Amino acid sequence: MGLSCAKCGSTEILTDIPVISDNLPTGAVSALAYRRPGARVFKRPITHPFLARVCGICGFAEFYVENPKGLLAVAKQVDTDV
Ligand SMILES: [Zn+2]
């Protein structure tokens, strides 16, 4: 897959690991975007769960938003089929 750890260089990378909060067992830790107040629809916050890439050797973890284009669309208030 070509992935390697940014810290130790290992290629033992685990991908798409859900990031779950101990304080909120039912919820994934998520990035959150608000549409601007003038938005006609979806004024509530829109969340996009984080997925982690974890190095299986040293444990270094990176977080990626599951749907970055969706988050960008909300932030820019572009109408999408969500
Ligand atoms: Zn590593």
Side-chain angles (χ1 to χ4, degrees), residues 15-30:
T15 59
D16 296 337
I17 306 295
V19 183
I20 304 298
S21 169
D22 286 339
N23 296 325
L24 187 60
T26 56
V29 176
S30 301

Side-chain angles (χ1 to χ4, degrees), residues 9-58:
S10 164
T11 55
E12 298 290 345
I13 304 298
L14 308 171
T15 59
D16 296 337
I17 306 295
V19 183
I20 304 298
S21 169
D22 286 339
N23 296 325
L24 187 60
T26 56
V29 176
S30 301
L32 184 152
Y34 291 95
R35 286 180 189 254
R36 285 177 287 188
R40 291 170 51 210
V41 293
F42 296 121
K43 291 183 180 180
R44 71 184 187 284
I46 305 296
T47 60
H48 290 269
F50 282 120
L51 295 173
R53 289 181 188 170
V54 180
C55 174
I57 303 300
C58 76

